């Protein structure tokens, strides 16, 4: 099982603030990195799947970068809104043998945006 | 929009009962997964399937079993529920290809008394 660290564990920001959080993962045996947003009482929803070192992805006010050589990814939210309140999960995809690839999830960063 | 369903959403049951958690998807995805999440912990993969009649165990050992007789259906069964099985169980699916996102169901919260 991979060691995936997400920081901070939780975060409270004011509406309109920009914020970012980190996902660290082993750089060996890396295949892809997934980011998911999980709102309370809903299903986790995919934000990004990133594969290449230096990748940057953007979806509205949310963007992410990837450094596969050092094993980290940053997620940025510009001008946070209350609807951004959720737990953000990262999950590296690694080869697990016998033709299988598995996601290993971090514990997530819980973001609360205060109106 | 993803169409993946889980029933029941909540289940409280006594020790020793047999339970089946249902998961269905209408997207025609070949790959399906079961994850378990204990409170405050990570999602852990317990079972996955790459297609009909294919099932494999994930990185977290589980006493549950799964079957994949139809593409759209991936039920999880516990033959004899125990309090240690109390957890949240999430089902997911994805298309072929390892770099594709997974679509998650709403989860089943299981409480075994």
């Amino acid at each position: 099982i991979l060691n995936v660290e997400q920081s901070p564990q939780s975060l409270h920001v004011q509406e309109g603030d920009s914020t970012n959080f980190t996902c660290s993962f082993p750089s060996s045996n890396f295949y892809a990195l997934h980011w998911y947003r999980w709102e309370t009482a809903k299903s986790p929803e995919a934000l990004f799947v990133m594969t290449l070192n230096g990748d940057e992805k953007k979806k509205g006010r949310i963007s992410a970068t990837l450094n596969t050589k050092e094993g980290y990814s940053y997620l940025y939210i510009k001008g946070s809104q209350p609807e951004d309140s959720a737990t953000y999960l990262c999950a590296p995809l690694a080869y697990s043998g016998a033709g299988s690839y598995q996601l290993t999830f971090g514990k997530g960063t819980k973001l609360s945006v205060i109106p | 929009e993803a169409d993946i369903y889980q029933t029941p959403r909540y289940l409280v049951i006594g020790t020793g009962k047999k339970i089946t958690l249902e998961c269905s998807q209408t997207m025609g995805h070949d790959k399906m997964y079961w994850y378990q999440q204990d409170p405050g912990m990570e999602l852990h993969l317990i079972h996955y399937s790459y297609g009909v009649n294919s099932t494999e165990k994930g990185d977290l050992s589980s006493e549950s079993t799964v079957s994949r007789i139809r593409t759209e259906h991936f039920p999880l069964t516990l033959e004899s529920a125990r309090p240690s099985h109390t957890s949240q169980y999430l089902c997911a699916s994805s298309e072929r290809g390892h770099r594709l996102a997974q679509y998650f169901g709403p989860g089943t919260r299981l409480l075994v008394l």
Side-chain angles (χ1 to χ4, degrees), chain A residues 88-99:
Chain A
Y88 291 82
L89 302 173
C90 77
L93 181 73
Y95 182 65
S96 55

Side-chain angles (χ1 to χ4, degrees), chain A residues 41-43, chain B residues 5-11 88 105-110:
Chain A
K42 294 189 177 180
S43 310
Chain B
Y5 309 99
Q6 290 186 245
T7 57
R9 294 290 307 277
Y10 304 92
L11 180 61
Q88 181 170 212
T108 294
R109 287 190 182 272
L110 174 64

Side-chain angles (χ1 to χ4, degrees), chain A residues 20-43:
Chain A
N20 65 85
F21 18 96
T22 306
C23 171
S24 300
F25 52 88
S27 55
S28 62
N29 197 24
F30 172 86
Y31 202 75
L33 184 84
H34 292 218
W35 278 101
Y36 291 85
R37 173 170 57 198
W38 194 357
E39 294 178 64
T40 303
K42 294 189 177 180
S43 310

